[in-house]
Each structure stands twice: as C-alpha cells, then as structure tokens.
Amino acid sequence: PIVMSYVYSLFEWNGIGPLKDFVGLDNFVETVKDPLFWNAFKNSFIFMLFSVAIQVPLALIVALILNAKWLKGSVVYRTIYFLPVVTTTAVVGIVMRFIFGSYKGLFNEILMKLSILDQPRDWIGSVDTALIIVVAVGIWKTFGMKMIYWLAGLQSLPKEIYEAAKVDGANAVQTFFRITVPLLLPVGSVILLLSATDALHVFDLVKAMTDGGPANATDMVDVYIYRYAFESTGETRIGFASAAGVFYGFAVLIVSLVFGYFVKKTGGRGYQKL
C-alpha cells in the first residue's frame, strides 16, 4: 500500500479500473496550491504542538505521583487514567459531541449551574472553540499511554543512586533535577518522538466529533485525504488523495528525523554523567 500510494499519486484515478490517465506531478502541484490543504496542515501541527506541550509534562507529573511510595491504591489510579486509551476512539468522539453540544450538553449544564454561562453554547460548533475542544479531548484520550511510558522509565531507574543521594543529604527537589531528570532524558526524548508522530495522525477522533468542521476549523490532513479518497460529492480522487498523503508523509518524516536526532543526542547521556 505504501509503494502503490506513490504510484497512484502520479495518476488521475478514481479507484476503479486500470491506471490510464498519467498526470505526473500535477496532483502534487494542485495539493500545494490548495488553501484547504494548508489549513488542514496547519491544524494538524497545532494539534501536535499543543498535545505534546501539555500532555507530556503533565503525564510526567502524574507518573511521579503514582510512582511515589507513599501513595496508596496506585494501581487503581493507573487503571482509571488508562481507561480512555482502551476506549474506542469513535465512541469517545460521538459521546464528546453530546457533552460539548449546545442542546442539554453536560459541559453547558455544569457551567450554567455554576453561573459561569447564562445560556448554552455550542462548543464544537463554534470556529473559536472547536479546535480547542478537540485538542483537549485528544490529550485526555491518550494521556494514559504517555503516563505509562513515564512510569516505565521511572521504574527502570537504579535505586542505588537515590539511596546514595539520600545519604548525602539531597532533598526531593535536588534529587529530581540532579538525578531523575538526567536519567529520564533518554526515555523522555523517545516519548516526545512517539507523542509527536502519534499526534500528527488524528483521524478517528476528529471524524467522529466534528468531521473537520465548523468551516474547516478542525480539519486535519488525515480527514482531508479521506474526504477526497472516499467521501467526494462527485467522483472520488484516489490519485489526488495519494499525492496529499505522500506530501504530508514527508512532512511527518522531517518531524520524526528532528526528534530522532534529539533521541540520538540524548541517548545514555544521563547515565554517562553519573
């Protein structure tokens, strides 16, 4: 499928019959000239940036608390945080559409009970708030996975170093910044890489919640590609959708290479310093 997507991108093809209409790079030129593609491209990277910036450090904080010896019932809390990860994303999107909807939506009802709102507001039907809600739900949906990543990293750290730091009189803050952070740096760079690449592909949640609306405010590249490949009001354009996918694939590859370089540079640094 990966190889054939490159082949299809060179043809004007609707998915039926043989490949006959060779157009070369015309599909790529049309993709680059389409403002709707760049809108979806921008939204995809906005989703990625905010997801990584908020979710990764917040997951680390929660992982530190859940990894603390003084916390009772940590297994229960871990399960609660991880439940959204194993919940079907399409179901989550549909439920969230009702929660943040204008008609008897739970979020509106709570805000009105607290006298924050005077009347219901359609949070996912407004251009100003739809993307914010999608980002927030996306962070909540995959938060448990990042928390598990951090927990795995924390539980793999050597206990002897912490015992030595305690003997030397290091407090909790000094231990965190002088020992935990350097040791977690290699794991953290990998978590950043995985979080960024995962966040750049957010199809099912957006499709179920907003379908890219309102007015393309939450349109993502994956939804944009799907629309041309399978949901076109006229004739489907597999060739054009493949070209958009290949172009976006190279953009994701560049992001992966940047984070991969960071992973390579940070790998093992914490252990070497200690």
Side-chain angles (χ1 to χ4, degrees):
I2 296 175
V3 174
M4 289 309 297
S5 65
Y6 286 85
V7 176
Y8 295 151
S9 67
L10 303 176
F11 290 83
E12 185 62 49
W13 187 54
N14 63 1
I16 302 174
L19 297 173
K20 291 183 179 180
D21 191 4
F22 180 80
V23 295
L25 298 178
D26 288 355
N27 285 327
F28 290 95
V29 174
E30 185 179 351
T31 299
V32 173
K33 290 183 178 180
D34 187 5
L36 292 179
F37 171 79
W38 289 111
N39 173 69
F41 190 92
K42 177 196 69 176
N43 289 339
S44 295
F45 275 84
I46 288 175
F47 184 93
M48 183 270 287
L49 289 172
F50 279 95
S51 294
V52 172
I54 296 173
Q55 189 182 68
V56 173
L58 188 60
L60 173 59
I61 294 173
V62 174
L64 287 168
I65 296 173
L66 294 180
N67 195 53
K69 294 180 179 180
W70 51 263
L71 182 67
K72 304 297 182 181
S74 60
V75 175
V76 176
Y77 295 119
R78 294 176 194 179
T79 304
I80 293 173
Y81 280 117
F82 196 75
L83 275 176
V85 177
V86 297
T87 306
T88 305
T89 308
V91 174
V92 170
I94 294 172
V95 172
M96 290 299 175
R97 205 165 68 196
F98 288 104
I99 290 177
F100 292 100
S102 59
Y103 180 72
K104 293 188 178 298
L106 177 62
F107 191 60
N108 277 322
E109 292 293 325
I110 293 174
L111 294 181
M112 291 173 67
K113 289 289 184 182
L114 296 174
S115 300
I116 297 176
L117 285 180
D118 295 328
Q119 57 185 4
R121 181 174 180 178
D122 191 357
W123 297 93
I124 61 174
S126 171
V127 176
D128 298 326
T129 58
L131 186 57
I132 298 174
I133 298 300
V134 170
V135 172
V137 174
I139 292 173
W140 169 80
K141 175 68 176 69
T142 59
F143 179 84
M145 184 61 70
K146 309 308 181 297
M147 180 199 69
I148 292 297
Y149 290 160
W150 283 120
L151 272 173
L154 286 169
Q155 293 176 358
S156 67
L157 300 182
K159 302 294 187 297
E160 298 82 5
I161 298 178
Y162 288 94
E163 293 172 358
K166 187 176 181 180
V167 171
D168 290 339
N171 58 36
V173 176
Q174 291 172 327
T175 301
F176 177 74
F177 285 105
R178 298 293 182 89
I179 296 177
T180 304
V181 171
L183 288 177
L184 278 181
L185 194 57
V187 176
S189 59
V190 175
I191 294 174
L192 281 174
L193 171 61
L194 295 174
S195 301
T197 53
D198 288 346
L200 286 172
H201 293 291
V202 53
F203 170 77
D204 41 5
L205 181 64
V206 174
K207 184 66 180 172
M209 279 189 68
T210 64
D211 198 19
N216 298 312
T218 61
D219 201 18
M220 306 290 171
V221 176
D222 289 353
V223 179
Y224 175 92
I225 293 169
Y226 179 86
R227 188 179 304 121
Y228 277 97
F230 305 109
E231 272 192 349
S232 178
T233 53
E235 189 176 30
T236 56
R237 301 185 62 192
I238 301 294
F240 177 76
S242 298
V246 170
F247 186 90
Y248 186 61
F250 278 109
V252 175
L253 176 62
I254 292 173
V255 173
S256 301
L257 290 175
V258 171
F259 279 99
Y261 178 79
F262 181 62
V263 170
K264 183 178 179 181
K265 286 294 184 182
T266 57
R269 182 187 300 176
Y271 295 100
Q272 292 168 5
K273 282 188 176 181
L274 293 167

